[in-house]
């Protein structure tokens, strides 16, 4: 049931971090993978890794803030593999800045990638999924999404983008269920990627102290959840946000 044989999956922001491991793990499960990110050269390296493990993938340059590149990514996926079954909206950016110092430019930059980027990619992919009356979309949010009992200072615009992703996921799930398209979100806690390595070591120590499993998550652990939500193993799950945080929110 976790198999993705003959399925086609697009992963955004897949040159490094969790996007890279999503691409590798979905390919291992049999998916034909479209590895997309801003740098084509870097995507090509991930494609080589996938091919080395016996998988099938192509690299496509796509900056999710550019509608024409998003449309081109979907076009290339369909041209190469004939359809799109899975979209993993993963490309994201983070900026640490106190609320009172934030500018409209900061807000627009974060929302343009983290929220509108997901919207653009989903709208383009759903046009194809509707034709075949099936598909799954996995939107990567964060436990910074709000209403969890845990708040994160100095990233209010990032948290707002992640909360909006969860709200958008629910609305999309309702609208797309008649087309047999499932839409879910994942809310990771602290995961070991270049994004989380950019923080202050003291903050990381304090974070670890709050995590019952007392370690930061591995990107592959999130990718396994992506695989579950992308596959038929989760066939009755839509409109949900699944938390993966080592027990952080249970404290
Ligand atoms: P990461 O290592 O920084 O990877 C993010 C990827 O997205 C990078 O390859 C980046 O490319 C790409 N990207 C940035 N802007 C883009 C754009 N406009 N178009 C296309 N690609 C773009 O971060 P990560 O930790 O793997 O994060 C993956 C997702 O998980 C994000 O949505 C993040 O918010 C979320 N998340 C992460 C954590 C965590 O602890 N790491 C926790 C909760 C949620 P460049 O490197 O070229 O900029």
């Amino acid at each position: 049931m976790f198999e993705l044989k003959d399925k086609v999956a697009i992963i955004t922001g897949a040159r490094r971090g969790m996007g890279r491991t999503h691409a590798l793990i979905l390919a291992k499960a049999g998916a034909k993978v479209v590895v997309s990110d801003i740098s084509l050269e870097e995507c090509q390296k991930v494609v080589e890794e996938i091919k080395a493990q016996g998988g099938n993938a192509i690299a496509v340059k796509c900056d999710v803030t550019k509608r024409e590149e998003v449309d081109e990514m979907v076009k290339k996926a369909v041209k190469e593999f004939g359809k799109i079954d899975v979209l993993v909206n993963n490309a994201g950016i983070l900026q640490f800045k106190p609320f009172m110092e934030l500018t409209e430019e900061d807000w627009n930059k974060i929302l343009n990638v983290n929220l509108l980027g997901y919207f653009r990619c989903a709208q383009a992919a759903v046009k194809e999924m509707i034709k075949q009356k099936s598909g799954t979309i996995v939107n990567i949010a964060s436990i910074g999404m709000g209403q969890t009992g845990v708040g994160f200072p100095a990233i209010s615009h990032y948290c707002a983008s992640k909360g909006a992703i969860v709200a958008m996921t629910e609305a999309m799930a309702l609208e797309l269920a008649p087309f047999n398209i499932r839409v879910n979100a994942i809310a990771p806690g602290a995961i070991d990627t270049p994004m989380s390595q950019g923080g202050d070591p003291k903050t990381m120590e304090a974070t670890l102290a709050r995590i019952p499993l007392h370690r930061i998550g591995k990107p592959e652990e999130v990718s396994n959840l992506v695989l579950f939500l992308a596959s038929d193993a989760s066939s009755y799950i839509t409109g949900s946000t699944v938390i993966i945080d080592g027990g952080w929110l249970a404290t």
Side-chain angles (χ1 to χ4, degrees):
M1 289 193 93
F2 288 85
E3 238 193 32
L4 291 179
K5 201 169 173 288
D6 299 325
K7 303 280 186 189
V8 179
I10 294 179
I11 327 282
T12 66
R15 80 160 179 106
R16 69 175 199 185
M18 279 187 259
R20 174 182 156 274
T21 57
H22 302 335
L24 288 166
I25 283 177
L26 266 56
K28 222 174 215 168
K32 296 166 188 161
V33 174
V34 176
V35 178
S36 85
D37 208 310
I38 298 171
S39 159
L40 182 63
E41 211 183 356
E42 293 291 315
C43 289
Q44 198 55 50
K45 290 182 190 164
V46 179
V47 167
E48 293 314 318
E49 282 188 80
I50 290 173
K51 288 189 172 163
Q53 69 182 23
N56 191 357
I58 57 165
V60 175
K61 177 187 164 17
C62 177
D63 177 340
V64 299
T65 65
K66 296 182 177 151
R67 169 67 80 169
E68 61 286 0
E69 290 194 16
V70 169
D71 289 342
E72 194 54 30
M73 168 180 71
V74 166
K75 224 165 128 185
K76 281 186 178 151
V78 173
K79 189 169 175 229
E80 185 71 22
F81 297 130
K83 58 178 183 158
I84 298 164
D85 300 295
V86 178
L87 167 69
V88 184
N89 265 326
N90 168 82
I93 53 172
L94 173 68
Q95 177 196 32
F96 288 95
K97 208 169 186 184
F99 177 74
M100 291 307 289
E101 291 171 23
L102 282 174
T103 62
E104 294 210 7
E105 208 178 22
D106 294 325
W107 273 94
N108 287 334
K109 195 174 167 192
I110 289 280
L111 292 178
N112 198 16
V113 178
N114 294 8
L115 180 60
L116 287 163
Y118 283 28
F119 155 70
R120 287 183 196 99
C121 294
Q123 207 177 47
V126 164
K127 274 185 199 158
E128 294 302 320
M129 290 173 175
I130 278 178
K131 290 182 199 164
Q132 70 211 31
K133 276 213 157 213
S134 71
T136 60
I137 297 172
V138 181
N139 292 325
I140 306 298
S142 160
I143 59 164
M145 63 190 166
Q147 300 289 307
T148 62
V150 177
F152 296 89
I155 52 168
S156 53
H157 51 343
Y158 175 85
C159 291
S161 73
K162 295 301 184 180
I165 287 167
V166 170
M168 182 174 76
T169 298
E170 290 178 4
M172 285 173 68
L174 297 184
E175 286 185 50
L176 298 174
F179 303 100
N180 192 30
I181 299 168
R182 297 186 294 110
V183 190
N184 291 292
I186 291 177
I191 310 297
D192 191 12
T193 70
M195 182 185 277
S196 59
Q197 285 153 10
D200 161 21
K202 274 191 189 151
T203 312
M204 184 50 77
E205 258 175 55
T207 300
L208 284 179
R210 294 167 72 182
I211 300 173
L213 288 182
H214 208 68
R215 65 173 175 85
I216 190 166
K218 297 176 198 153
E220 294 82 0
E221 292 174 312
V222 180
S223 303
N224 288 334
L225 182 54
V226 170
L227 172 59
F228 170 66
L229 291 175
S231 72
D232 287 345
S234 61
S235 51
Y236 198 53
I237 303 179
T238 194
S240 290
T241 297
V242 185
I243 290 161
I244 173 163
D245 68 347
W248 189 346
L249 296 187
T251 58

